[in-house]
Amino acid sequence: MIRAMVRRALERFPAKWVPVRVNKTRQNKKREPRSDLVGAAKALVLAAAFAAALTPVPCLGESSKPLPAKATQELPAELLALLEQKKMPKYSPIVVRLFKEEAELEVWKQDTAGRFQFLKTYPICRWSGDLGPKLYEGDRQAPEGFYTITPELMNPNSNFYLSINLGYPNSFDKANKRNGSFLMIHGDCWSSGCYAMTDEQISEIYSLARDSLSGRPSFQVQAYPFRLTPANLARHRNNPNLAFWKMLKVGNDHFETTGREPKVDVCNRRYVFDAQPPANSPSPLVFNPNEKCPPFVVNPEITRRAQEKQRADERVYAQLLEDNVPAAPIYSGLDGGMNKAFLAKFPGRVTLAKVMPYASYLPQLPPIPWIDNDGSLTSKWFGTSFSGPVVCDAARASFPTGRC
């Protein structure tokens, strides 16, 4: 791991050749300076890591220094026109939705009626790990769940162009003893536990996020393994994460049926959505992620809409099981994914996983063919395309500030 981090650091910050006087030997008859490249590289890496550990991340709105131009640039004219067309004020709130299997990032934005409407889809250039939540530092898994992004999590000085820290682990992750750090949405199309976009894409996403934080404390990111449709859940019915994904689906359904950002709480080590105190409650709700949930109710209109969708989805799901729709492998054997839109630009990045996060309790699967004749991933299993080598999760522990 250390060698990989040094190599990555050298790629981004090439060491200078340091002249060092050497003794005259039979092999070195001329007294010429040599280069202590390895020593210089180690010194640079260690110094950077040490300084990073002592220096706070210069985040959005925290530094007295002027922000770099890439963090302050205006949205493209085409996107501003789209906002006007969809009646979405420039500074209205956003919700970001991530879908691993489809390798897509969606931005939804609040319109003048106060509802969140779909704005734009950005194909994800790279995500790492497998379907399923992040469990521990270094497992290369990109997080799944509901995350709150505050201005302090926006990094305008990222070495991956621009980055948005997901704030992992959140209170749910901590309650379930999951750990990891520096999990981002960022540019550069390289990832190890992150959702990586191209620099052009993250420029737009960052600007939308920045504008949405004008005058408000946060926005929400919803990270899913795939679109939580009955068909996808039926394909992944054998996955040990199915119960977790069905829990996420409750929040997903609240959002999709109401056009409102779901209020997220955690109690009894579970997500709870849109909870409010019962009528005539003498005190406000207090949620402890590790303790039993307090009595609460959900707005009847939200409940009605979400339950209607849930019942309809369950009928379709049951029919798919009756039809014995083929089940996807529990473990793909691949290290993450890439949207097919980037296959031609970044060829050869589909690799076998270096880490098997579920190997301790999942059966070993035989090798699987992951490329079709047309160069795309086997659609009957995944329906999208996957890709290659990466850096951002465990390495960030040694390069904390501004590195991701």
Side-chain angles (χ1 to χ4, degrees), residues 157-200:
N157 299 299
S158 173
N159 284 337
F160 290 78
Y161 197 69
L162 293 164
S163 68
I164 302 171
N165 191 323
L166 290 173
Y168 181 96
N170 62 17
S171 57
F172 172 88
D173 301 317
K174 292 175 183 176
N176 287 276
K177 301 188 183 333
R178 299 173 180 177
N179 61 72
S181 55
F182 305 102
L183 285 308
M184 313 277 179
I185 302 170
H186 61 65
D188 201 37
C189 194
W190 292 94
S191 165
S192 179
C194 297
Y195 292 94
M197 318 301 294
T198 64
D199 291 353
E200 181 181 9

mmCIF file of all heavy atoms in Angstrom, residues 157-200:
data_model
loop_
_atom_site.group_PDB
_atom_site.id
_atom_site.type_symbol
_atom_site.label_atom_id
_atom_site.label_comp_id
_atom_site.label_asym_id
_atom_site.label_seq_id
_atom_site.Cartn_x
_atom_site.Cartn_y
_atom_site.Cartn_z
ATOM 1 N N ASN A 157 -9.827 23.152 -3.273
ATOM 2 C CA ASN A 157 -8.396 23.002 -3.537
ATOM 3 C C ASN A 157 -7.989 21.544 -3.684
ATOM 4 O O ASN A 157 -6.844 21.183 -3.420
ATOM 5 C CB ASN A 157 -7.600 23.656 -2.400
ATOM 6 C CG ASN A 157 -7.879 25.142 -2.287
ATOM 7 O OD1 ASN A 157 -7.623 25.889 -3.220
ATOM 8 N ND2 ASN A 157 -8.428 25.569 -1.160
ATOM 9 N N SER A 158 -8.904 20.717 -4.099
ATOM 10 C CA SER A 158 -8.632 19.291 -4.220
ATOM 11 C C SER A 158 -7.595 19.006 -5.291
ATOM 12 O O SER A 158 -7.552 19.664 -6.336
ATOM 13 C CB SER A 158 -9.932 18.557 -4.571
ATOM 14 O OG SER A 158 -9.686 17.209 -4.862
ATOM 15 N N ASN A 159 -6.759 17.999 -5.050
ATOM 16 C CA ASN A 159 -5.830 17.532 -6.079
ATOM 17 C C ASN A 159 -6.536 16.660 -7.112
ATOM 18 O O ASN A 159 -5.907 16.206 -8.065
ATOM 19 C CB ASN A 159 -4.681 16.755 -5.434
ATOM 20 C CG ASN A 159 -3.692 17.697 -4.767
ATOM 21 O OD1 ASN A 159 -3.609 18.862 -5.111
ATOM 22 N ND2 ASN A 159 -2.965 17.193 -3.799
ATOM 23 N N PHE A 160 -7.833 16.407 -6.887
ATOM 24 C CA PHE A 160 -8.636 15.708 -7.889
ATOM 25 C C PHE A 160 -9.606 16.719 -8.508
ATOM 26 O O PHE A 160 -10.790 16.467 -8.638
ATOM 27 C CB PHE A 160 -9.364 14.519 -7.253
ATOM 28 C CG PHE A 160 -8.439 13.398 -6.873
ATOM 29 C CD1 PHE A 160 -7.660 13.471 -5.732
ATOM 30 C CD2 PHE A 160 -8.307 12.268 -7.684
ATOM 31 C CE1 PHE A 160 -6.788 12.447 -5.383
ATOM 32 C CE2 PHE A 160 -7.435 11.251 -7.344
ATOM 33 C CZ PHE A 160 -6.678 11.332 -6.192
ATOM 34 N N TYR A 161 -9.070 17.871 -8.810
ATOM 35 C CA TYR A 161 -9.717 19.033 -9.427
ATOM 36 C C TYR A 161 -10.637 19.725 -8.427
ATOM 37 O O TYR A 161 -10.304 20.778 -7.912
ATOM 38 C CB TYR A 161 -10.467 18.660 -10.711
ATOM 39 C CG TYR A 161 -10.771 19.871 -11.563
ATOM 40 C CD1 TYR A 161 -9.753 20.564 -12.194
ATOM 41 C CD2 TYR A 161 -12.068 20.332 -11.701
ATOM 42 C CE1 TYR A 161 -10.022 21.706 -12.955
ATOM 43 C CE2 TYR A 161 -12.352 21.465 -12.459
ATOM 44 C CZ TYR A 161 -11.322 22.146 -13.077
ATOM 45 O OH TYR A 161 -11.596 23.276 -13.816
ATOM 46 N N LEU A 162 -11.817 19.184 -8.174
ATOM 47 C CA LEU A 162 -12.712 19.677 -7.130
ATOM 48 C C LEU A 162 -13.316 18.455 -6.440
ATOM 49 O O LEU A 162 -13.453 17.400 -7.068
ATOM 50 C CB LEU A 162 -13.839 20.533 -7.716
ATOM 51 C CG LEU A 162 -13.446 21.878 -8.345
ATOM 52 C CD1 LEU A 162 -14.585 22.403 -9.213
ATOM 53 C CD2 LEU A 162 -13.074 22.904 -7.276
ATOM 54 N N SER A 163 -13.672 18.573 -5.174
ATOM 55 C CA SER A 163 -14.251 17.404 -4.507
ATOM 56 C C SER A 163 -15.305 17.800 -3.501
ATOM 57 O O SER A 163 -15.298 18.905 -2.949
ATOM 58 C CB SER A 163 -13.161 16.567 -3.825
ATOM 59 O OG SER A 163 -12.591 17.260 -2.740
ATOM 60 N N ILE A 164 -16.220 16.872 -3.278
ATOM 61 C CA ILE A 164 -17.288 17.002 -2.294
ATOM 62 C C ILE A 164 -17.208 15.786 -1.388
ATOM 63 O O ILE A 164 -17.423 14.650 -1.834
ATOM 64 C CB ILE A 164 -18.674 17.076 -2.969
ATOM 65 C CG1 ILE A 164 -18.736 18.256 -3.952
ATOM 66 C CG2 ILE A 164 -19.777 17.169 -1.928
ATOM 67 C CD1 ILE A 164 -19.989 18.258 -4.820
ATOM 68 N N ASN A 165 -16.873 16.010 -0.137
ATOM 69 C CA ASN A 165 -16.754 14.916 0.830
ATOM 70 C C ASN A 165 -18.153 14.454 1.233
ATOM 71 O O ASN A 165 -18.995 15.268 1.607
ATOM 72 C CB ASN A 165 -15.975 15.411 2.057
ATOM 73 C CG ASN A 165 -15.579 14.288 2.997
ATOM 74 O OD1 ASN A 165 -16.314 13.332 3.202
ATOM 75 N ND2 ASN A 165 -14.412 14.415 3.593
ATOM 76 N N LEU A 166 -18.413 13.150 1.175
ATOM 77 C CA LEU A 166 -19.729 12.623 1.514
ATOM 78 C C LEU A 166 -20.011 12.652 3.011
ATOM 79 O O LEU A 166 -21.151 12.477 3.440
ATOM 80 C CB LEU A 166 -19.867 11.185 1.000
ATOM 81 C CG LEU A 166 -19.954 11.033 -0.517
ATOM 82 C CD1 LEU A 166 -19.921 9.565 -0.909
ATOM 83 C CD2 LEU A 166 -21.221 11.688 -1.051
ATOM 84 N N GLY A 167 -18.985 12.852 3.822
ATOM 85 C CA GLY A 167 -19.192 12.852 5.255
ATOM 86 C C GLY A 167 -19.303 11.460 5.847
ATOM 87 O O GLY A 167 -19.883 11.269 6.919
ATOM 88 N N TYR A 168 -18.737 10.473 5.155
ATOM 89 C CA TYR A 168 -18.725 9.105 5.673
ATOM 90 C C TYR A 168 -17.657 8.987 6.763
ATOM 91 O O TYR A 168 -16.554 9.520 6.604
ATOM 92 C CB TYR A 168 -18.418 8.124 4.531
ATOM 93 C CG TYR A 168 -18.400 6.676 4.966
ATOM 94 C CD1 TYR A 168 -19.525 5.885 4.804
ATOM 95 C CD2 TYR A 168 -17.270 6.115 5.553
ATOM 96 C CE1 TYR A 168 -19.525 4.560 5.221
ATOM 97 C CE2 TYR A 168 -17.264 4.803 5.972
ATOM 98 C CZ TYR A 168 -18.395 4.031 5.804
ATOM 99 O OH TYR A 168 -18.395 2.727 6.221
ATOM 100 N N PRO A 169 -17.942 8.289 7.866
ATOM 101 C CA PRO A 169 -19.195 7.594 8.196
ATOM 102 C C PRO A 169 -20.236 8.547 8.797
ATOM 103 O O PRO A 169 -19.897 9.427 9.587
ATOM 104 C CB PRO A 169 -18.738 6.571 9.240
ATOM 105 C CG PRO A 169 -17.559 7.214 9.907
ATOM 106 C CD PRO A 169 -16.867 8.025 8.848
ATOM 107 N N ASN A 170 -21.504 8.348 8.428
ATOM 108 C CA ASN A 170 -22.577 9.115 9.063
ATOM 109 C C ASN A 170 -23.016 8.394 10.338
ATOM 110 O O ASN A 170 -22.399 7.406 10.748
ATOM 111 C CB ASN A 170 -23.742 9.326 8.073
ATOM 112 C CG ASN A 170 -24.385 8.014 7.631
ATOM 113 O OD1 ASN A 170 -24.207 6.965 8.265
ATOM 114 N ND2 ASN A 170 -25.141 8.059 6.555
ATOM 115 N N SER A 171 -24.063 8.857 10.976
ATOM 116 C CA SER A 171 -24.464 8.272 12.259
ATOM 117 C C SER A 171 -24.928 6.829 12.101
ATOM 118 O O SER A 171 -24.717 6.000 12.995
ATOM 119 C CB SER A 171 -25.569 9.116 12.903
ATOM 120 O OG SER A 171 -26.688 9.238 12.054
ATOM 121 N N PHE A 172 -25.540 6.488 10.965
ATOM 122 C CA PHE A 172 -25.925 5.090 10.712
ATOM 123 C C PHE A 172 -24.691 4.211 10.594
ATOM 124 O O PHE A 172 -24.617 3.123 11.180
ATOM 125 C CB PHE A 172 -26.770 4.999 9.438
ATOM 126 C CG PHE A 172 -27.050 3.581 9.004
ATOM 127 C CD1 PHE A 172 -28.153 2.908 9.486
ATOM 128 C CD2 PHE A 172 -26.209 2.926 8.114
ATOM 129 C CE1 PHE A 172 -28.409 1.589 9.099
ATOM 130 C CE2 PHE A 172 -26.443 1.622 7.729
ATOM 131 C CZ PHE A 172 -27.555 0.949 8.222
ATOM 132 N N ASP A 173 -23.715 4.669 9.810
ATOM 133 C CA ASP A 173 -22.483 3.894 9.625
ATOM 134 C C ASP A 173 -21.784 3.671 10.958
ATOM 135 O O ASP A 173 -21.339 2.557 11.270
ATOM 136 C CB ASP A 173 -21.542 4.618 8.655
ATOM 137 C CG ASP A 173 -22.165 4.858 7.299
ATOM 138 O OD1 ASP A 173 -22.813 3.943 6.780
ATOM 139 O OD2 ASP A 173 -21.998 5.969 6.770
ATOM 140 N N LYS A 174 -21.682 4.710 11.769
ATOM 141 C CA LYS A 174 -21.002 4.590 13.056
ATOM 142 C C LYS A 174 -21.736 3.625 13.982
ATOM 143 O O LYS A 174 -21.110 2.823 14.682
ATOM 144 C CB LYS A 174 -20.882 5.968 13.709
ATOM 145 C CG LYS A 174 -19.951 6.923 12.986
ATOM 146 C CD LYS A 174 -19.983 8.305 13.622
ATOM 147 C CE LYS A 174 -19.118 9.293 12.856
ATOM 148 N NZ LYS A 174 -19.210 10.665 13.412
ATOM 149 N N ALA A 175 -23.077 3.709 13.981
ATOM 150 C CA ALA A 175 -23.854 2.824 14.844
ATOM 151 C C ALA A 175 -23.665 1.367 14.457
ATOM 152 O O ALA A 175 -23.769 0.466 15.300
ATOM 153 C CB ALA A 175 -25.331 3.200 14.786
ATOM 154 N N ASN A 176 -23.375 1.130 13.169
ATOM 155 C CA ASN A 176 -23.161 -0.234 12.686
ATOM 156 C C ASN A 176 -21.690 -0.592 12.589
ATOM 157 O O ASN A 176 -21.314 -1.538 11.904
ATOM 158 C CB ASN A 176 -23.860 -0.414 11.331
ATOM 159 C CG ASN A 176 -25.367 -0.500 11.473
ATOM 160 O OD1 ASN A 176 -25.904 -1.568 11.734
ATOM 161 N ND2 ASN A 176 -26.056 0.623 11.316
ATOM 162 N N LYS A 177 -20.849 0.230 13.296
ATOM 163 C CA LYS A 177 -19.416 -0.034 13.421
ATOM 164 C C LYS A 177 -18.716 -0.117 12.066
ATOM 165 O O LYS A 177 -17.833 -0.938 11.839
ATOM 166 C CB LYS A 177 -19.166 -1.317 14.236
ATOM 167 C CG LYS A 177 -19.747 -1.249 15.643
ATOM 168 C CD LYS A 177 -19.322 -2.427 16.478
ATOM 169 C CE LYS A 177 -19.929 -2.437 17.875
ATOM 170 N NZ LYS A 177 -20.290 -1.164 18.455
ATOM 171 N N ARG A 178 -19.132 0.744 11.159
ATOM 172 C CA ARG A 178 -18.468 0.856 9.869
ATOM 173 C C ARG A 178 -17.515 2.040 9.910
ATOM 174 O O ARG A 178 -17.808 3.050 10.548
ATOM 175 C CB ARG A 178 -19.498 1.029 8.748
ATOM 176 C CG ARG A 178 -20.451 -0.164 8.654
ATOM 177 C CD ARG A 178 -21.565 0.055 7.666
ATOM 178 N NE ARG A 178 -22.440 -1.115 7.609
ATOM 179 C CZ ARG A 178 -23.538 -1.206 6.868
ATOM 180 N NH1 ARG A 178 -23.906 -0.164 6.125
ATOM 181 N NH2 ARG A 178 -24.262 -2.301 6.885
ATOM 182 N N ASN A 179 -16.387 1.910 9.243
ATOM 183 C CA ASN A 179 -15.419 3.002 9.294
ATOM 184 C C ASN A 179 -14.748 3.199 7.943
ATOM 185 O O ASN A 179 -14.781 2.332 7.070
ATOM 186 C CB ASN A 179 -14.371 2.746 10.385
ATOM 187 C CG ASN A 179 -13.586 1.481 10.153
ATOM 188 O OD1 ASN A 179 -12.739 1.406 9.251
ATOM 189 N ND2 ASN A 179 -13.850 0.446 10.952
ATOM 190 N N GLY A 180 -14.149 4.340 7.802
ATOM 191 C CA GLY A 180 -13.500 4.754 6.563
ATOM 192 C C GLY A 180 -13.416 6.266 6.580
ATOM 193 O O GLY A 180 -13.986 6.920 7.460
ATOM 194 N N SER A 181 -12.736 6.843 5.618
ATOM 195 C CA SER A 181 -12.562 8.294 5.632
ATOM 196 C C SER A 181 -12.270 8.815 4.231
ATOM 197 O O SER A 181 -11.811 8.080 3.362
ATOM 198 C CB SER A 181 -11.411 8.686 6.570
ATOM 199 O OG SER A 181 -10.228 8.003 6.225
ATOM 200 N N PHE A 182 -12.573 10.096 4.049
ATOM 201 C CA PHE A 182 -12.251 10.809 2.814
ATOM 202 C C PHE A 182 -12.884 10.154 1.588
ATOM 203 O O PHE A 182 -12.234 9.911 0.585
ATOM 204 C CB PHE A 182 -10.737 10.960 2.657
ATOM 205 C CG PHE A 182 -10.093 11.612 3.826
ATOM 206 C CD1 PHE A 182 -9.410 10.862 4.769
ATOM 207 C CD2 PHE A 182 -10.207 12.982 4.025
ATOM 208 C CE1 PHE A 182 -8.827 11.462 5.875
ATOM 209 C CE2 PHE A 182 -9.638 13.590 5.130
ATOM 210 C CZ PHE A 182 -8.944 12.832 6.065
ATOM 211 N N LEU A 183 -14.179 9.841 1.707
ATOM 212 C CA LEU A 183 -14.937 9.290 0.584
ATOM 213 C C LEU A 183 -15.620 10.447 -0.135
ATOM 214 O O LEU A 183 -16.378 11.194 0.466
ATOM 215 C CB LEU A 183 -15.966 8.271 1.075
ATOM 216 C CG LEU A 183 -15.448 6.893 1.510
ATOM 217 C CD1 LEU A 183 -14.584 6.264 0.452
ATOM 218 C CD2 LEU A 183 -14.695 6.955 2.814
ATOM 219 N N MET A 184 -15.341 10.582 -1.417
ATOM 220 C CA MET A 184 -15.671 11.808 -2.137
ATOM 221 C C MET A 184 -16.472 11.567 -3.412
ATOM 222 O O MET A 184 -16.503 10.467 -3.951
ATOM 223 C CB MET A 184 -14.379 12.527 -2.557
ATOM 224 C CG MET A 184 -13.336 12.652 -1.471
ATOM 225 S SD MET A 184 -13.667 14.062 -0.424
ATOM 226 C CE MET A 184 -12.311 13.901 0.747
ATOM 227 N N ILE A 185 -17.068 12.650 -3.866
ATOM 228 C CA ILE A 185 -17.412 12.813 -5.281
ATOM 229 C C ILE A 185 -16.377 13.803 -5.793
ATOM 230 O O ILE A 185 -16.282 14.927 -5.281
ATOM 231 C CB ILE A 185 -18.829 13.383 -5.468
ATOM 232 C CG1 ILE A 185 -19.873 12.483 -4.807
ATOM 233 C CG2 ILE A 185 -19.142 13.557 -6.958
ATOM 234 C CD1 ILE A 185 -21.258 13.125 -4.760
ATOM 235 N N HIS A 186 -15.561 13.408 -6.770
ATOM 236 C CA HIS A 186 -14.482 14.295 -7.211
ATOM 237 C C HIS A 186 -14.185 14.096 -8.690
ATOM 238 O O HIS A 186 -14.805 13.264 -9.367
ATOM 239 C CB HIS A 186 -13.226 14.087 -6.365
ATOM 240 C CG HIS A 186 -12.638 12.698 -6.434
ATOM 241 N ND1 HIS A 186 -12.113 12.160 -7.576
ATOM 242 C CD2 HIS A 186 -12.479 11.751 -5.478
ATOM 243 C CE1 HIS A 186 -11.664 10.943 -7.342
ATOM 244 N NE2 HIS A 186 -11.876 10.656 -6.072
ATOM 245 N N GLY A 187 -13.231 14.850 -9.195
ATOM 246 C CA GLY A 187 -12.849 14.754 -10.600
ATOM 247 C C GLY A 187 -11.736 13.755 -10.817
ATOM 248 O O GLY A 187 -11.470 12.896 -9.979
ATOM 249 N N ASP A 188 -11.107 13.827 -11.971
ATOM 250 C CA ASP A 188 -9.909 13.051 -12.305
ATOM 251 C C ASP A 188 -10.177 11.627 -12.746
ATOM 252 O O ASP A 188 -9.271 10.934 -13.201
ATOM 253 C CB ASP A 188 -8.930 13.060 -11.126
ATOM 254 C CG ASP A 188 -7.507 12.747 -11.547
ATOM 255 O OD1 ASP A 188 -7.110 13.196 -12.639
ATOM 256 O OD2 ASP A 188 -6.805 12.052 -10.808
ATOM 257 N N CYS A 189 -11.395 11.124 -12.586
ATOM 258 C CA CYS A 189 -11.772 9.785 -13.057
ATOM 259 C C CYS A 189 -10.915 8.679 -12.443
ATOM 260 O O CYS A 189 -10.638 7.671 -13.078
ATOM 261 C CB CYS A 189 -11.719 9.713 -14.590
ATOM 262 S SG CYS A 189 -12.540 8.239 -15.269
ATOM 263 N N TRP A 190 -10.474 8.836 -11.188
ATOM 264 C CA TRP A 190 -9.759 7.789 -10.458
ATOM 265 C C TRP A 190 -10.419 7.639 -9.096
ATOM 266 O O TRP A 190 -10.757 8.634 -8.473
ATOM 267 C CB TRP A 190 -8.283 8.159 -10.269
ATOM 268 C CG TRP A 190 -7.503 8.165 -11.541
ATOM 269 C CD1 TRP A 190 -7.260 9.244 -12.334
ATOM 270 C CD2 TRP A 190 -6.875 7.061 -12.174
ATOM 271 N NE1 TRP A 190 -6.511 8.880 -13.427
ATOM 272 C CE2 TRP A 190 -6.264 7.539 -13.350
ATOM 273 C CE3 TRP A 190 -6.771 5.694 -11.863
ATOM 274 C CZ2 TRP A 190 -5.559 6.706 -14.221
ATOM 275 C CZ3 TRP A 190 -6.064 4.873 -12.727
ATOM 276 C CH2 TRP A 190 -5.471 5.376 -13.888
ATOM 277 N N SER A 191 -10.565 6.401 -8.649
ATOM 278 C CA SER A 191 -11.288 6.220 -7.390
ATOM 279 C C SER A 191 -10.842 4.983 -6.640
ATOM 280 O O SER A 191 -10.507 3.958 -7.231
ATOM 281 C CB SER A 191 -12.793 6.098 -7.670
ATOM 282 O OG SER A 191 -13.470 5.596 -6.548
ATOM 283 N N SER A 192 -10.867 5.081 -5.306
ATOM 284 C CA SER A 192 -10.770 3.916 -4.439
ATOM 285 C C SER A 192 -11.702 4.157 -3.271
ATOM 286 O O SER A 192 -11.308 4.652 -2.220
ATOM 287 C CB SER A 192 -9.341 3.699 -3.946
ATOM 288 O OG SER A 192 -9.290 2.586 -3.086
ATOM 289 N N GLY A 193 -12.965 3.857 -3.469
ATOM 290 C CA GLY A 193 -13.982 4.133 -2.479
ATOM 291 C C GLY A 193 -14.743 5.411 -2.768
ATOM 292 O O GLY A 193 -15.641 5.780 -2.021
ATOM 293 N N CYS A 194 -14.408 6.090 -3.863
ATOM 294 C CA CYS A 194 -15.061 7.352 -4.210
ATOM 295 C C CYS A 194 -15.928 7.198 -5.452
ATOM 296 O O CYS A 194 -15.907 6.174 -6.131
ATOM 297 C CB CYS A 194 -14.018 8.442 -4.443
ATOM 298 S SG CYS A 194 -13.039 8.835 -2.985
ATOM 299 N N TYR A 195 -16.682 8.246 -5.736
ATOM 300 C CA TYR A 195 -17.424 8.364 -6.991
ATOM 301 C C TYR A 195 -16.685 9.418 -7.821
ATOM 302 O O TYR A 195 -16.735 10.619 -7.501
ATOM 303 C CB TYR A 195 -18.864 8.787 -6.737
ATOM 304 C CG TYR A 195 -19.685 7.729 -6.027
ATOM 305 C CD1 TYR A 195 -19.815 7.730 -4.646
ATOM 306 C CD2 TYR A 195 -20.326 6.715 -6.745
ATOM 307 C CE1 TYR A 195 -20.560 6.760 -3.985
ATOM 308 C CE2 TYR A 195 -21.070 5.748 -6.102
ATOM 309 C CZ TYR A 195 -21.191 5.773 -4.726
ATOM 310 O OH TYR A 195 -21.931 4.803 -4.083
ATOM 311 N N ALA A 196 -15.988 8.989 -8.855
ATOM 312 C CA ALA A 196 -15.127 9.886 -9.618
ATOM 313 C C ALA A 196 -15.792 10.286 -10.929
ATOM 314 O O ALA A 196 -16.291 9.446 -11.676
ATOM 315 C CB ALA A 196 -13.780 9.221 -9.891
ATOM 316 N N MET A 197 -15.756 11.576 -11.188
ATOM 317 C CA MET A 197 -16.296 12.142 -12.408
ATOM 318 C C MET A 197 -15.144 12.684 -13.247
ATOM 319 O O MET A 197 -13.984 12.674 -12.807
ATOM 320 C CB MET A 197 -17.275 13.275 -12.072
ATOM 321 C CG MET A 197 -18.220 12.999 -10.914
ATOM 322 S SD MET A 197 -19.288 11.545 -11.125
ATOM 323 C CE MET A 197 -20.314 12.081 -12.498
ATOM 324 N N THR A 198 -15.437 13.185 -14.425
ATOM 325 C CA THR A 198 -14.424 13.930 -15.161
ATOM 326 C C THR A 198 -14.322 15.329 -14.553
ATOM 327 O O THR A 198 -15.213 15.778 -13.817
ATOM 328 C CB THR A 198 -14.785 14.054 -16.648
ATOM 329 O OG1 THR A 198 -15.986 14.827 -16.774
ATOM 330 C CG2 THR A 198 -14.994 12.677 -17.278
ATOM 331 N N ASP A 199 -13.247 16.030 -14.849
ATOM 332 C CA ASP A 199 -13.082 17.385 -14.328
ATOM 333 C C ASP A 199 -14.206 18.300 -14.806
ATOM 334 O O ASP A 199 -14.707 19.145 -14.052
ATOM 335 C CB ASP A 199 -11.728 17.953 -14.753
ATOM 336 C CG ASP A 199 -10.568 17.246 -14.071
ATOM 337 O OD1 ASP A 199 -10.822 16.412 -13.178
ATOM 338 O OD2 ASP A 199 -9.410 17.523 -14.440
ATOM 339 N N GLU A 200 -14.605 18.143 -16.055
ATOM 340 C CA GLU A 200 -15.683 18.979 -16.596
ATOM 341 C C GLU A 200 -16.992 18.723 -15.855
ATOM 342 O O GLU A 200 -17.732 19.658 -15.522
ATOM 343 C CB GLU A 200 -15.853 18.699 -18.089
ATOM 344 C CG GLU A 200 -16.929 19.541 -18.755
ATOM 345 C CD GLU A 200 -17.087 19.234 -20.233
ATOM 346 O OE1 GLU A 200 -16.475 18.255 -20.706
ATOM 347 O OE2 GLU A 200 -17.835 19.965 -20.908
#
